[in-house]
Amino acid sequence: YTFLLINKTNGSSVTSGSVTAKITQDGGSQASIAASASHEGNGQWSISLSSAEMTADIVALAFIHSSAIPVYTVINTK
């Protein structure tokens, strides 16, 4: 899965640092995603989601970085 991180202070791309990645499945409790996010270039980041993490009808993802605007997304797998 890919996502873009934007600096919350000046709007530039976030290209370094560490991302906290969380997942919620079918409205359950939030848990950490097993894989780590990697910067691909120009603020685009990617993370691999396991088949177990995608075994839900609704998968909600949250990506948090201390310098970036948080990214939240929902995937409907049906």
Side-chain angles (χ1 to χ4, degrees):
Y1 183 82
T2 60
F3 56 98
L4 182 65
L5 289 180
I6 303 294
N7 187 294
K8 62 185 171 187
T9 304
N10 62 22
S12 64
S13 299
V14 174
T15 59
S16 63
S18 123
V19 175
T20 299
K22 299 289 188 176
I23 187 168
T24 304
Q25 296 172 296
D26 292 330
S29 298
Q30 195 177 58
S32 295
I33 293 176
S36 297
S38 299
H39 182 249
E40 303 296 341
N42 299 308
Q44 182 181 17
W45 293 71
S46 67
I47 195 164
S48 294
L49 301 170
S50 70
S51 57
E53 289 168 333
M54 292 301 295
T55 325
D57 292 335
I58 302 293
V59 177
L61 306 173
F63 302 104
I64 312 299
H65 184 289
S66 61
S67 298
I69 299 166
V71 174
Y72 302 100
T73 190
V74 176
I75 302 169
N76 183 341
T77 64
K78 283 188 159 188

